[in-house]
Amino acid sequence: MVGASETTRSGLIAILRGITPGEIVEVGAALVEGGFHAIEVPLNSPDPYRSIELLATSFGAVCPIGAGTVLRPEEVERACSAGADIIVSPDTDVEVIAATRALGMRSYPGVATPTEAFGAVRAGARNLKLFPSEMLGISGMRAVSAVLPADVELIPVGGVDETNLADWRAAGAGGAGIGTAVYRPGDSARDVGARARRLSKIWASTP
């Protein structure tokens, strides 16, 4: 197994792009019961800070809650105030990483090259979002992981689903960000829960 040690593994992160506050608690419950390890609300969703607040109040004690598509330090502060534990970005911005660490949260900056990965590590990040993972592929993840410190994990995001999740985990991914393969706007909590259980079973059964 390459990459991060078991102690730093993030596991499955649900990306609920487009979710609304009115459905967030029911969908969040389905994900937690379905075995997901964290839930992310991208900031380009409707009223995202309210959704983060509701998730944190309902599930924060058992499931880390994240803000996604975070691009500026002031967004980090708002997400923290709403109850977020993790900050996820599509790029590597050292100011966002610094703001996240200063508030005691985990930073998940997006990286696509070794240069970006080491820039994020030097800024203090240890959980790196490999994005877009469908372009880099498993061989790309292995190549980047091989040169990173052992306590740094790579988390593929973009195109991860039931057909390839086991391959990513077997190759050493510390977790995976799952978007439309678990939730699409308008999906019922029942459907989300069923997908979550299938994905969690794949993750748990892959060495």
Side-chain angles (χ1 to χ4, degrees):
M1 192 74 72
V2 296
S5 66
E6 288 294 333
T7 58
T8 60
R9 285 185 172 273
S10 292
L12 298 181
I13 303 171
I15 304 170
L16 305 183
R17 191 175 306 279
I19 193 116
T20 65
E23 61 185 318
I24 192 69
V25 173
E26 190 175 6
V27 170
L31 289 164
V32 172
E33 292 168 5
F36 265 61
H37 305 99
I39 302 172
E40 169 194 337
V41 178
L43 294 188
N44 55 0
S45 301
D47 201 0
Y49 298 106
R50 178 57 179 159
S51 289
I52 290 169
E53 182 180 23
L54 289 168
L55 282 175
T57 299
S58 300
F59 312 111
V62 296
C63 178
I65 307 303
T69 319
V70 178
L71 304 176
R72 295 182 293 275
E74 54 266 32
E75 294 172 341
V76 175
E77 295 172 5
R78 285 195 66 186
C80 181
S81 296
D85 304 293
I86 62 179
I87 297 295
V88 186
S89 300
D91 63 344
T92 297
D93 186 310
V94 296
E95 292 184 354
V96 169
I97 295 171
T100 302
R101 286 176 51 79
L103 291 171
M105 295 184 290
R106 280 183 289 163
S107 179
Y108 287 69
V111 304
T113 67
T115 299
E116 292 175 344
F118 275 102
V121 169
R122 292 186 185 103
R126 286 296 180 272
N127 313 93
L128 307 185
K129 170 183 171 179
L130 192 69
F131 177 78
S133 61
E134 64 255 79
M135 290 181 59
L136 297 163
I138 288 175
S139 61
M141 183 187 72
R142 284 190 172 123
V144 174
S145 181
V147 297
L148 289 174
D151 66 335
V152 175
E153 70 171 353
L154 288 172
I155 303 160
V157 177
V160 182
D161 58 24
E162 292 182 32
T163 68
N164 55 30
L165 178 60
D167 294 334
W168 284 107
R169 176 158 168 83
I178 312 290
T180 56
V182 72
Y183 171 82
R184 291 161 296 195
D187 284 348
S188 69
R190 179 177 180 178
D191 288 343
V192 171
R195 296 186 197 117
R197 288 190 294 274
R198 290 196 298 268
L199 289 158
S200 296
K201 183 177 180 179
I202 293 169
W203 183 260
S205 63
T206 304

